[in-house]
Amino acid sequence: MRTLLLLLLLLCLPCAALAEGFSGYAELKGFAYGERFPGEPYGAGWGTLYSKWEQRLAESQFTASLRAEWLTWPQTSPLVFDPADRKLRRPPLSVPELWLRVPLAPSHDLEFGRFQLGWGKTDGYSPADAFLPRDVTDPFADEKLPLWAVRLSGQEENLRYQAVLVPVTTPWRLPPLGTRNAPIASGALPKGTRFQEEDDAPPLPGFAALRLLATHGDWDLGVWARSGVRPAPILEFSLDPALQNGPVPVISVGRRYPREHGVGVEVSRVAGPYVVRGEAAALFSADPELGDALIGTLSVERGFGDGTLLVTLAGNAIDPPVDPTLLFDRGLLPALIVAWNQTEEWGAWKLVWDCGLKRGDGLLKGEVGYNLTDTWKVTVGGDLPYGSERGPLGALHGARRLMAALRRSW
């Protein structure tokens, strides 16, 4: 409740009351669901207070940010120190960014600290970064988690490179199992089954990755490789007799993090108003439940004024040894993803269609943001999962919702 009162106060403060040199926002967001899920309300609230500080230090760049949140459902974890997002639930306080970039030579930089890593196209699918940790507390947000890492990047003529070392594993964060955001298939377990999720400590070592890109005329060519701990867990279900003290079964859920190695190639070309991209990746793991994968993607992007339309087709040539839904980043494959983002004088809008081509499930997503002033913005939208409940998106039919948000930026 104190966090909510603070958010309301900041929404009403004039921008001049905030310190110079800082940026950020305060946002209140509400969700209304189309149906009642057992034990959960029809609506939920989400408040966010985000502040960012950017500072030039001679030739270096320092950036730090702090985020405070208040959720009515699912609730955040107790106030704990979790700087690497390794705990089971979303913390009320987090540090999304804390990094320093130091120039080593002209066109060569060393960056270390906590920052976002992304090698794929937003709203599309790329095997180069689909494995990266995400917080799916909100299953429709596609929120990447930042990493504690060291990154060396640079350019020499037409050749660009990035070398990344992640010494600490930041795992995928999942919603509470058995809720509307992480439902269990109807009939799979007795009604009322409860889950005892173990807060397993992920392995400390992370992964290392290298990416090389070259430009030749209208063509961009690239190769990449990575090796280390896979941030997406393998869930392990067990029935502990010591927990069975009633008519409803209690299932223990543990998490295991196998090692995985991968290599990939990517190519893109500008063809008039279009950008055509293709990727192929081979992923290897000795883990019997994860197995190997051969993932390919093809995408076409076209600009429309201040907007873009991106169409992506992705698939895995190797059938996984378990239900792909349990592998998270490979759960929807093969898939078709269509995303249209447009900026207008009055604001912006977005339409997304995710379609699983194997089970016929998918997601229709739409948002419209209107700029009331330079600092005030209101956003409305909705998420409509549909199709087979055996698919990762169709299973979320109980999470169909409408959303409204009010944001004050500074």
Side-chain angles (χ1 to χ4, degrees):
M1 181 59 68
R2 292 179 181 177
T3 306
L4 176 59
L5 293 175
L6 177 60
L7 286 167
L8 291 173
L9 177 62
L10 288 168
L11 283 172
C12 298
L13 280 174
C15 290
L18 300 171
E20 294 183 4
F22 288 85
S23 62
Y25 64 87
E27 182 180 65
L28 290 176
K29 187 183 296 185
F31 302 101
Y33 295 98
E35 59 183 84
R36 182 72 178 265
F37 200 87
E40 298 183 36
Y42 271 112
W46 193 315
T48 303
L49 175 60
Y50 176 87
S51 185
K52 184 175 183 178
W53 178 39
E54 297 178 279
Q55 182 68 47
R56 297 286 298 183
L57 303 174
E59 298 298 320
S60 303
Q61 171 72 35
F62 175 74
T63 299
S65 63
L66 179 66
R67 184 183 67 195
E69 292 185 308
W70 163 81
L71 284 70
T72 62
W73 187 268
Q75 294 182 348
T76 52
S77 66
L79 186 59
V80 294
F81 184 64
D82 186 20
D85 283 308
R86 289 166 57 88
K87 296 294 184 180
L88 193 63
R89 297 289 174 249
R90 192 178 182 100
L93 287 176
S94 62
V95 182
E97 293 177 285
L98 184 62
W99 55 265
L100 179 67
R101 181 187 296 123
V102 180
L104 302 179
S107 302
H108 297 272
D109 296 322
L110 178 66
E111 185 177 357
F112 57 91
R114 182 167 167 82
F115 52 82
Q116 287 276 359
L117 178 64
W119 288 352
K121 187 67 178 177
T122 303
D123 294 324
Y125 183 96
S126 170
D129 73 355
F131 77 101
L132 288 172
R134 284 165 167 77
D135 189 328
V136 290
T137 301
D138 179 347
F140 305 125
D142 190 26
E143 176 189 349
K144 287 183 181 178
L145 287 169
L147 304 169
W148 287 100
V150 178
R151 174 165 55 190
L152 179 65
S153 60
Q155 180 173 349
E156 288 292 341
E157 296 183 350
N158 294 331
L159 178 64
R160 307 181 301 279
Y161 71 89
Q162 280 192 27
V164 181
L165 175 64
V166 182
V168 178
T169 296
T170 293
W172 281 55
R173 178 175 286 128
L174 310 179
L177 295 181
T179 64
R180 63 157 47 94
N181 289 343
I184 303 299
S186 177
L189 295 171
K191 188 175 181 180
T193 297
R194 294 188 291 115
F195 295 93
Q196 182 75 30
E197 297 184 63
E198 302 171 10
D199 201 350
D200 301 322
L204 190 61
F207 64 90
L210 175 65
R211 188 191 197 194
L212 302 175
L213 293 169
T215 301
H216 180 70
D218 293 334
W219 293 86
D220 276 338
L221 307 173
V223 296
W224 58 266
R226 64 173 171 85
S227 179
V229 173
R230 175 179 161 88
I234 300 293
L235 300 182
E236 296 184 318
F237 299 88
S238 62
L239 204 62
D240 185 353
L243 299 176
Q244 314 309 311
N245 53 8
V248 176
V250 179
I251 296 180
S252 299
V253 184
R255 287 165 168 78
R256 182 165 51 81
Y257 298 87
R259 295 183 63 85
E260 185 179 63
H261 317 284
V263 293
V265 296
E266 53 187 292
V267 59
S268 65
R269 186 179 191 277
V270 178
Y274 299 94
V275 179
V276 181
R277 298 183 182 87
E279 293 186 69
L283 307 174
F284 310 96
S285 177
D287 189 273
E289 293 186 64
L290 177 59
D292 300 335
L294 184 59
I295 298 175
T297 68
L298 179 64
S299 68
V300 179
E301 182 180 1
R302 193 190 193 290
F304 293 91
D306 291 329
T308 58
L309 174 64
L310 176 65
V311 180
T312 304
L313 184 65
N316 184 3
I318 300 177
D319 290 332
V322 298
D323 189 325
T325 302
L326 299 175
L327 302 181
F328 302 107
D329 57 304
R330 304 177 195 172
L332 193 62
L333 302 181
L336 173 68
I337 304 171
V338 181
W340 193 335
N341 292 271
Q342 188 74 36
T343 300
E344 308 284 359
E345 292 183 0
W346 46 265
W349 55 269
K350 173 181 180 179
L351 294 173
V352 178
W353 178 36
D354 293 341
C355 179
L357 301 179
K358 184 175 182 179
R359 292 173 173 171
D361 63 321
L363 169 69
L364 294 172
K365 181 183 184 72
E367 285 186 6
V368 178
Y370 182 74
N371 298 325
L372 300 172
T373 67
D374 291 340
T375 58
W376 289 88
K377 180 180 181 180
V378 61
T379 302
V380 295
D383 300 282
L384 180 64
Y386 68 89
S388 171
E389 295 184 16
R390 294 178 56 84
L393 293 176
L396 295 170
H397 66 91
R400 294 170 181 166
R401 68 188 189 186
L402 296 176
M403 178 273 295
L406 178 64
R407 174 178 291 198
R408 172 70 182 276
S409 302
W410 58 83

